[in-house]
Amino acid sequence: MGGAYKSLSGSEKADPASANGAHKQKSRVLMVPSRGVTYRHRHMIDDLNSLCPHSRKDVKFDSKSKLYELCEMAEMSNCNNVLYFEARKGQDLYMWMSRVPNGPTVKFHCQNMHTMEELHFVGNCLKGSRPILSFDSAFDKEPFLKVTKQLFLQTFGVPEGARKSKPFIDHVMAFSIVDGKIWLRVYQINETEAKATTGEDGETEKASSKSRTTKETDINLVEIGPRMVLTPIICQEGSFGGPIIYENKEFVSPNQVRSDVRRQQAGKHNARSDQIVERLAKKGGKKMPTDALDTRELFA
């Protein structure tokens, strides 16, 4: 990671013309939330928008069935990537990532979301700087993961010299695969001067002399947030439409999970009711003797 960071930093300094607007790749991302997003969802979208200076945030999208209209919105906004955040039941969040206009489209279920305000990490990065995208080696093993990797590169990869971007690289966006889910983490690249070493004669030897133009630095990563876990659901060939080329058979919707929990709780109540019926049946249906001062007798 340190070698890649130094090579990218050197290329930024060697090519100052890229900061004047002359870039090879023109890529813009349209971020659109749906109706019903909660405050935590809004804060997460704002954090992702701040990390992507080439993105444009639009108003809430009202329809949940006519998703093809998002392609028209992207063309009107001169964007070729769309991040659509769909909220359901006031608590579930789904993320659609699509390449306009020909696709493909991948749908994720967002879990374990933590915004920057919730985490309170000490790290910080320059607003508008470009990130280094780090991917797990598992992305190159399956065809679907290869497609997902390219979508992440085109969506979160800020092109050189993009509008509102700074000619600096000071943070890393890491995508890892654990238990069939994609874990998103963001780290700041922290540079510190190399500590001085002590020689055999007891004198302190500095890491870099005055005659050198560059100083040796220690590079480490400090997490800054946000955090998110993405569960892939389906992959469509077109942009918000077309045949399904991948489907996660192991995915269970959170609505189904809540339904199973309610059914399990209702089963306990039904079991107790059955025990009462069985106990009365064993007693032969005889009624218990009542007292004259019983409330049911007094107010009958």
Side-chain angles (χ1 to χ4, degrees), residues 151-220:
L151 282 177
F152 280 131
L153 285 172
Q154 296 173 4
T155 302
F156 293 102
V158 181
E160 185 177 353
R163 177 176 171 266
K164 294 184 179 179
S165 66
K166 303 295 189 301
F168 301 102
I169 298 175
D170 61 352
H171 64 282
V172 178
M173 297 185 70
F175 299 90
S176 305
I177 297 179
V178 181
D179 297 334
K181 305 178 187 296
I182 300 176
W183 295 58
L184 172 63
R185 296 291 185 267
V186 184
Y187 302 93
Q188 175 202 0
I189 302 175
N190 189 19
E191 295 185 23
T192 56
E193 293 185 3
K195 296 182 180 179
T197 58
T198 306
E200 297 179 355
D201 54 352
E203 295 182 358
T204 304
E205 299 177 359
K206 294 185 178 180
S208 58
S209 60
K210 297 182 180 180
S211 59
R212 298 179 183 176
T213 57
T214 59
K215 296 182 179 180
E216 296 181 1
T217 57
D218 294 333
I219 299 176
N220 54 9

Side-chain angles (χ1 to χ4, degrees), residues 58-262:
D58 210 328
V59 297
K60 294 180 180 179
F61 188 66
D62 199 5
S63 177
K64 293 186 179 180
S65 59
K66 302 178 181 179
L67 298 182
Y68 58 86
E69 295 180 359
L70 292 170
C71 300
E72 300 178 1
M73 295 175 57
E75 292 178 0
M76 293 174 61
S77 302
N78 195 20
C79 298
N80 48 15
N81 295 285
V82 177
L83 272 180
Y84 173 56
F85 298 89
E86 179 183 2
R88 291 188 177 273
K89 301 287 185 177
Q91 51 188 336
D92 302 329
L93 183 65
Y94 297 89
M95 186 179 75
W96 295 76
M97 185 169 55
S98 176
R99 179 74 175 181
V100 178
N102 299 323
T105 303
V106 181
K107 181 182 180 181
F108 301 97
H109 177 223
C110 303
Q111 296 173 295
N112 299 334
M113 295 180 298
H114 299 280
T115 61
M116 291 183 179
E117 295 182 357
E118 295 175 348
L119 296 173
H120 298 290
F121 284 141
V122 296
N124 191 11
C125 67
L126 179 66
K127 183 177 178 63
S129 60
R130 298 174 59 205
I132 296 176
L133 301 184
S134 176
F135 292 93
D136 193 357
S137 60
F139 277 94
D140 298 328
K141 295 181 180 179
E142 299 182 10
F144 164 71
L145 295 177
K146 292 181 180 180
V147 174
T148 306
K149 178 181 178 181
Q150 291 300 321
L151 282 177
F152 280 131
L153 285 172
Q154 296 173 4
T155 302
F156 293 102
V158 181
E160 185 177 353
R163 177 176 171 266
K164 294 184 179 179
S165 66
K166 303 295 189 301
F168 301 102
I169 298 175
D170 61 352
H171 64 282
V172 178
M173 297 185 70
F175 299 90
S176 305
I177 297 179
V178 181
D179 297 334
K181 305 178 187 296
I182 300 176
W183 295 58
L184 172 63
R185 296 291 185 267
V186 184
Y187 302 93
Q188 175 202 0
I189 302 175
N190 189 19
E191 295 185 23
T192 56
E193 293 185 3
K195 296 182 180 179
T197 58
T198 306
E200 297 179 355
D201 54 352
E203 295 182 358
T204 304
E205 299 177 359
K206 294 185 178 180
S208 58
S209 60
K210 297 182 180 180
S211 59
R212 298 179 183 176
T213 57
T214 59
K215 296 182 179 180
E216 296 181 1
T217 57
D218 294 333
I219 299 176
N220 54 9
L221 299 179
V222 181
E223 188 172 358
I224 61 178
R227 288 179 174 181
M228 186 166 34
V229 178
L230 304 174
T231 304
I233 303 176
I234 59 173
C235 179
Q236 295 177 308
E237 185 177 356
S239 180
F240 296 102
I244 297 177
I245 59 179
Y246 172 82
E247 184 177 3
N248 188 1
K249 301 294 184 180
E250 299 179 356
F251 174 74
V252 180
S253 65
N255 194 30
Q256 182 66 33
V257 174
R258 290 190 294 267
S259 177
D260 294 340
V261 172
R262 289 194 298 266

